[in-house]
């Protein structure tokens, strides 16, 4: 103890004694420059040139500034506080961030020229959580503007906080919401959809919904799958069809089809049936699909029976009265060609003219016999082969105007003579047959065929 006390007294005397030899600032500067020149020490000049700073001091000052600023500081502000060149600040800032992340991953990051620590992100998440609890939901775009931070940084932090349970909310890009708030909207949607008795457009509800479009339809899909709401969505999910409406509509369609034997696709489309031809085919797989209508198999069988009877009797028939009234000539021809009998016998025992006239071979044979009689009658007075007989002077318009049964002849005198009438009757046969075969317009062709058959029979 005596020795220790003696050492303390000696140390005190040394401290109180004055220094006899001192170095001037100029000498110190020269010594320092010499050491720097020989690279025996590593120091940086401050921007004002009055101080030298060592690298460990720079890193220590960087950590102190980050802590003093609350965990978020701009690199430019950091360079101004340290009074160093930006190159030195950025060099040692990277070392500080790397050292911090070695101990704790994501403890510190450099984003858009700002240093952000994990402590600052935690405080930011707590503030975001307070807003979510108070309002029910927040948009991360609004949070990015509020904190003046990149959206990606906030989104990444929110996702991590939600995954770890630090943030008691659910994230669905770009909205953060509480389950209670979402359940309230789900209950509102359930009430509206349950009260619907006819097709309901979802566009107005989607406009009122504060969340994303995908989340809106995910809620509706969940309500339908769980059975809380009965119905389905059509037209790109923008139209809700309640089950009560769909059941009544389907029953109406089926009753009409069973009673009438046909239904038009336009009618199905007006009743909000998607893809009418495919939908009605699923309900009645034995039916026949045409261009404008869907016809029951019984209608085709009835039409086939009429064709068979016509061929057996050796007559001709216009099948238009035997098919549903909405069918046009194209659908009538298509329906006839759905008949296996017509396909087998066409060109053999029957012929199809103007899409709706069935003519048997017997009628054509009778026509040929009548032609032979007329040939024998007019042969003595027929013109020579060098001067072939021309068709009657009436043009197409005259023939069409006379198709109603009242043939008007203006400015022409009625010729007499049995031989001339017989000759004109023969030419009408040939003229109508020629027009029916050559005409491409369906309406005119139908008229020509009707005139031809009427003149034959």
């Amino acid at each position: 103890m005596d020795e220790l006390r003696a050492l303390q007294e000696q140390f005190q005397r040394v401290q109180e004694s004055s220094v006899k030899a001192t170095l001037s600032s100029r000498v110190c500067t020269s010594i320092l420059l010499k050491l720097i020149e020989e690279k025996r020490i590593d120091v940086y000049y401050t921007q004002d040139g009055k101080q030298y700073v060592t690298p460990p001091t720079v890193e220590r000052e960087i950590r102190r500034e980050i802590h003093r600023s609350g965990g978020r500081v701009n690199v430019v502000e950091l360079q101004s506080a340290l009074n160093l060149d930006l190159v030195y600040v950025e060099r040692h800032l990277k070392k500080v961030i790397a050292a911090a992340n070695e101990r704790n991953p994501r403890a510190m990051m450099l984003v858009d020229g700002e240093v952000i620590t994990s402590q600052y992100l935690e405080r930011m998440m707590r503030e975001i959580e307070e807003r979510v609890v108070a309002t029910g939901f927040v948009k991360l775009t609004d949070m990015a503007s509020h904190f003046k931070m990149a959206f990606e940084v906030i989104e990444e932090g929110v996702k991590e906080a939600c995954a770890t349970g630090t943030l008691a909310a659910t994230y669905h890009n770009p909205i953060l919401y509480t389950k209670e708030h979402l359940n309230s909207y789900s209950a509102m949607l359930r009430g509206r959809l349950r009260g619907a008795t006819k097709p309901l457009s979802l566009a107005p509800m989607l406009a009122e919904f504060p969340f994303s479009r995908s989340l809106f339809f995910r809620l509706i899909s969940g309500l339908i799958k769980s059975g809380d709401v009965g119905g389905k969505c059509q037209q790109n999910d923008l139209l809700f069809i309640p089950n009560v409406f769909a059941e009544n509509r389907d029953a109406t369609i089926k009753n009409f089809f069973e009673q009438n034997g046909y239904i038009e696709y336009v009618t199905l489309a007006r009743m909000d049936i998607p893809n009418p031809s495919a939908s009605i085919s699923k309900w009645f797989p034995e039916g026949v699909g045409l261009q404008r209508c869907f016809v029951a198999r019984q209608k085709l069988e009835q039409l086939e029976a009429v064709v068979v009877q016509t061929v057996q009797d050796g007559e001709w028939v216009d099948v238009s009265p035997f098919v549903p009234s909405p069918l046009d000539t194209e659908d009538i021809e298509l329906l006839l060609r759905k008949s296996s009998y017509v396909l087998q016998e066409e060109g053999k025992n029957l012929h199809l003219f103007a899409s709706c006239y069935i003519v048997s071979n017997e009628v054509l044979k009778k026509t040929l016999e009548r032609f032979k009689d007329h040939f024998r009658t007019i042969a003595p007075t027929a013109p020579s082969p060098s001067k072939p007989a021309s068709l009657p002077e009436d043009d197409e318009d005259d023939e069409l105007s006379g198709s109603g049964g009242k043939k008007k002849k203006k400015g022409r005198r009625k010729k007499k003579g049995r031989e001339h009438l017989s000759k004109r009757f023969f030419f009408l046969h040939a003229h109508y047959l020629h027009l029916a075969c050559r005409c491409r317009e369906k309406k005119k062709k139908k008229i020509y065929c009707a005139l031809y058959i009427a003149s034959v029979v």
Side-chain angles (χ1 to χ4, degrees):
M1 292 295 294
D2 295 336
E3 294 179 358
L4 180 61
R5 189 177 296 108
L7 289 173
Q8 290 177 348
E9 292 175 356
Q10 184 180 359
F11 182 69
Q12 185 176 2
R13 287 194 300 268
V14 170
Q15 286 183 334
E16 293 176 353
S17 63
S18 60
V19 180
K20 295 180 180 180
T22 59
L23 296 175
S24 65
S25 60
R26 185 174 182 181
V27 174
C28 292
T29 303
S30 300
I31 295 172
L32 188 59
L33 291 174
K34 187 65 175 178
L35 293 174
I36 295 173
E37 182 180 354
E38 293 179 358
K39 297 183 178 179
R40 298 180 66 178
I41 61 174
D42 187 13
V43 294
Y44 303 132
Y45 292 99
T46 58
Q47 286 186 325
D48 55 11
K50 296 180 180 181
Q51 294 179 348
Y52 296 96
V53 184
T54 61
T57 304
V58 174
E59 294 179 5
R60 185 170 59 253
E61 291 296 326
I62 288 175
R63 294 190 188 94
R64 184 181 299 172
E65 282 296 322
I66 293 174
H67 179 73
R68 188 185 61 81
S69 61
R72 179 182 180 183
V73 62
N74 193 287
V75 176
V76 176
E77 296 175 358
L78 189 62
Q79 179 253 342
S80 178
L82 296 178
N83 195 22
L84 287 175
D85 190 86
L86 186 60
V87 175
Y88 302 140
V89 175
E90 291 179 345
R91 180 189 304 170
H92 289 281
L93 179 59
K94 291 179 181 179
K95 294 180 180 180
V96 171
I97 294 175
N101 291 336
E102 284 180 1
R103 297 189 298 269
N104 181 16
R106 297 182 57 81
M108 193 178 296
M109 66 183 72
L110 182 63
V111 180
D112 295 336
E114 286 187 323
V115 182
I116 301 174
T117 63
S118 58
Q119 292 80 9
Y120 178 82
L121 290 177
E122 290 176 1
R123 290 196 301 272
M124 185 175 66
M125 290 301 113
R126 285 196 293 269
E127 184 176 346
I128 291 176
E129 184 178 16
E130 291 175 358
R131 292 201 176 194
V132 171
V133 173
T135 61
F137 75 99
V138 293
K139 294 182 179 179
L140 290 195
T141 52
D142 297 340
M143 292 294 97
S145 301
H146 173 72
F147 290 106
K148 297 180 181 179
M149 186 178 292
F151 175 82
E152 292 76 11
V153 178
I154 296 182
E155 184 182 35
E156 187 175 358
V158 166
K159 286 182 178 179
E160 184 178 353
C162 291
T164 58
T166 307
L167 191 60
T170 304
Y171 176 68
H172 191 277
N173 186 27
I175 305 237
L176 187 67
Y177 54 87
T178 61
K179 292 183 179 179
E180 294 76 11
H181 191 71
L182 188 64
N183 290 337
S184 65
Y185 272 98
S186 180
M188 179 195 68
L189 291 175
R190 181 170 59 249
R192 289 191 180 185
L193 297 180
R194 278 183 176 180
T197 58
K198 60 181 180 179
L200 178 66
S201 175
L202 300 179
M205 286 188 284
L206 179 59
E208 299 174 3
F209 195 67
F211 304 143
S212 64
R213 177 189 179 98
S214 58
L215 182 58
F216 175 80
F217 289 114
R218 193 175 72 180
L219 286 178
I220 292 181
S221 177
L223 291 174
I224 294 175
K225 288 182 179 179
S226 63
D228 291 340
V229 173
K232 58 183 178 180
C233 293
Q234 295 179 358
Q235 297 181 7
N236 296 326
D237 293 337
L238 288 177
L239 186 67
F240 176 73
I241 308 295
N243 283 342
V244 61
F245 174 82
E247 291 171 359
N248 295 335
R249 178 195 61 187
D250 296 348
T252 302
I253 293 173
K254 291 178 181 179
N255 291 335
F256 181 87
F257 183 80
E258 291 173 355
Q259 293 177 5
N260 298 276
Y262 76 94
I263 192 167
E264 296 182 79
Y265 296 143
V266 176
T267 303
L268 296 176
R270 283 198 297 264
M271 301 179 75
D272 297 319
I273 297 294
N275 196 358
S277 58
S279 300
I280 195 68
S281 298
K282 291 180 181 179
W283 293 341
F284 303 98
E286 296 182 355
V288 180
L290 305 177
Q291 292 184 358
R292 297 180 56 206
C293 298
F294 189 81
V295 181
R297 176 65 60 176
Q298 293 79 0
K299 292 293 182 180
L300 178 59
E301 294 174 355
Q302 294 173 4
L303 182 62
E304 188 173 294
V306 172
V307 174
V308 171
Q309 186 64 40
T310 300
V311 174
Q312 290 177 355
D313 294 344
E315 298 292 338
W316 67 276
V317 65
D318 179 7
V319 298
S320 299
F322 301 97
V323 297
S325 57
L327 270 65
D328 57 8
T329 54
E330 294 180 356
D331 278 344
I332 293 175
E333 181 177 357
L334 185 59
L335 183 61
L336 285 169
R337 297 194 182 281
K338 295 284 185 179
S339 169
S340 57
Y341 178 81
V342 173
L343 293 177
Q344 292 175 1
E345 300 298 329
E346 187 177 9
K348 300 176 182 178
N349 296 322
L350 62 88
H351 302 274
L352 177 61
F353 292 102
S355 302
C356 58
Y357 290 94
I358 295 294
V359 181
S360 65
N361 272 341
E362 296 298 327
V363 172
L364 296 181
K365 289 180 181 179
K366 291 178 182 178
T367 304
L368 182 60
E369 292 297 329
R370 291 197 179 191
F371 281 164
K372 289 180 179 179
D373 295 340
H374 287 297
F375 284 143
R376 296 190 187 97
T377 304
I378 67 174
T381 60
S384 61
S386 58
K387 298 180 179 180
S390 61
L391 293 175
E393 297 177 358
D394 301 13
D395 56 7
E396 281 191 19
D397 294 335
D398 293 334
E399 297 297 346
L400 292 179
S401 64
S403 60
K406 297 180 180 180
K407 300 182 180 180
K408 299 180 181 180
K409 301 178 182 180
K410 296 182 180 180
R412 295 182 182 178
R413 299 176 59 186
K414 188 174 181 181
K415 298 183 180 180
K416 298 180 180 180
R418 183 181 183 85
E419 182 179 349
H420 180 75
L421 290 175
S422 178
K423 183 177 179 180
R424 180 170 179 80
F425 185 64
F426 163 73
F427 279 122
L428 282 175
H429 276 301
H431 188 46
Y432 290 143
L433 183 60
H434 171 77
L435 292 176
C437 294
R438 297 295 299 274
C439 183
R440 295 183 180 180
E441 189 175 345
K442 292 186 177 181
K443 291 184 179 180
K444 288 186 178 181
K445 187 172 184 177
K446 182 177 180 180
I447 296 174
Y448 293 145
C449 287
L451 291 173
Y452 167 71
I453 295 173
S455 64
V456 171
V457 179

